[in-house]
Amino acid sequence: MSMGMMMGENTPVVWRGPMVTKALHQLMLAADWGELDVLVMDLPPGTGDIQLSIAQNYKIDGVILVSTPQEVALLDVKKAATMFVKLNIPIIGILENMSYFEDPTGTKHQLFGSGAVERFCTDTGIRFLGQIPILPEISKGCDKGIEAKGNKLVEKLGGMLEIL
């Protein structure tokens, strides 16, 4: 379920905090989710109204933070980690997204740097969950709405989820 699914393709969601919070509560309380083991919420980076509303109004067993390798992206994750610690919400770990691109020869190219996310995890004791590479087939599949069965990323993520 996505807010984007309820709006037109080119229609922006231009809402202030109270409108976003109201929509969140409607999604959480009015949608028929069935019986869930896990509910995954993909949120924008940061420590804004939506994160705080979720933290204050719903039972959260844990969060997985995601960062790209750049130091500037990691700044948002550091702030989010601090917020979740202050709110007594467990941090399951951090995933590093867009970690590298592997060319046809098998050479890995770290386009956005490397090591910052792992160092932060080591320094803070937060579990480093792994690296997600840039895979063109995922991007193409997402653009076409094609499920990514049998691809490298799905296999890698499946393995990570089994660990959790």
Side-chain angles (χ1 to χ4, degrees), residues 28 39 41 53-63 88-90:
M28 294 294 287
L39 177 64
M41 301 178 88
S53 292
I54 291 168
Q56 291 176 333
N57 292 290
Y58 302 98
K59 182 183 179 301
I60 301 172
D61 294 319
V63 297
N88 295 314
I89 296 172

Side-chain angles (χ1 to χ4, degrees), residues 6 21 55 140 154 159 161:
M6 294 184 254
T21 302
K140 289 175 189 170
V154 171
L161 292 175

Side-chain angles (χ1 to χ4, degrees), residues 4-156:
M5 294 171 70
M6 294 184 254
M7 311 299 259
E9 185 175 321
N10 295 317
T11 305
V13 180
V14 185
W15 292 348
R16 293 190 178 272
M19 288 290 291
V20 174
T21 302
K22 184 176 178 183
L24 165 73
H25 292 312
Q26 283 184 300
L27 281 172
M28 294 294 287
L29 301 173
D32 182 3
W33 297 104
E35 190 172 327
L36 298 176
D37 291 326
V38 175
L39 177 64
V40 176
M41 301 178 88
D42 182 9
L43 302 174
T47 56
D49 285 340
I50 198 75
Q51 291 88 343
L52 194 55
S53 292
I54 291 168
Q56 291 176 333
N57 292 290
Y58 302 98
K59 182 183 179 301
I60 301 172
D61 294 319
V63 297
I64 295 175
L65 302 173
V66 179
S67 182
T68 55
Q70 303 101 310
E71 293 282 350
V72 70
L74 187 56
L75 290 174
D76 283 337
V77 169
K78 289 177 179 180
K79 291 175 186 176
T82 300
M83 178 189 74
F84 288 121
V85 167
K86 285 183 179 182
L87 295 172
N88 295 314
I89 296 172
I91 300 171
I92 296 168
I94 302 178
L95 275 170
E96 185 182 82
N97 193 22
M98 298 174 26
S99 300
Y100 58 87
F101 171 77
E102 191 170 329
D103 70 25
T105 69
T107 303
K108 292 181 180 179
H109 303 274
Q110 283 132 347
L111 305 173
F112 304 110
S114 65
V117 175
E118 249 182 299
R119 278 192 303 278
F120 174 67
C121 288
T122 299
D123 292 347
T124 58
I126 296 172
R127 185 175 178 187
F128 180 69
L129 298 175
Q131 297 178 317
I132 301 172
I134 298 169
L135 294 170
E137 64 264 26
I138 298 295
S139 178
K140 289 175 189 170
C142 289
D143 286 344
K144 294 178 181 177
I146 298 170
E147 189 175 333
K149 288 183 181 176
N151 70 49
K152 296 179 211 172
L153 179 59
V154 171
E155 292 169 9
K156 186 174 185 68

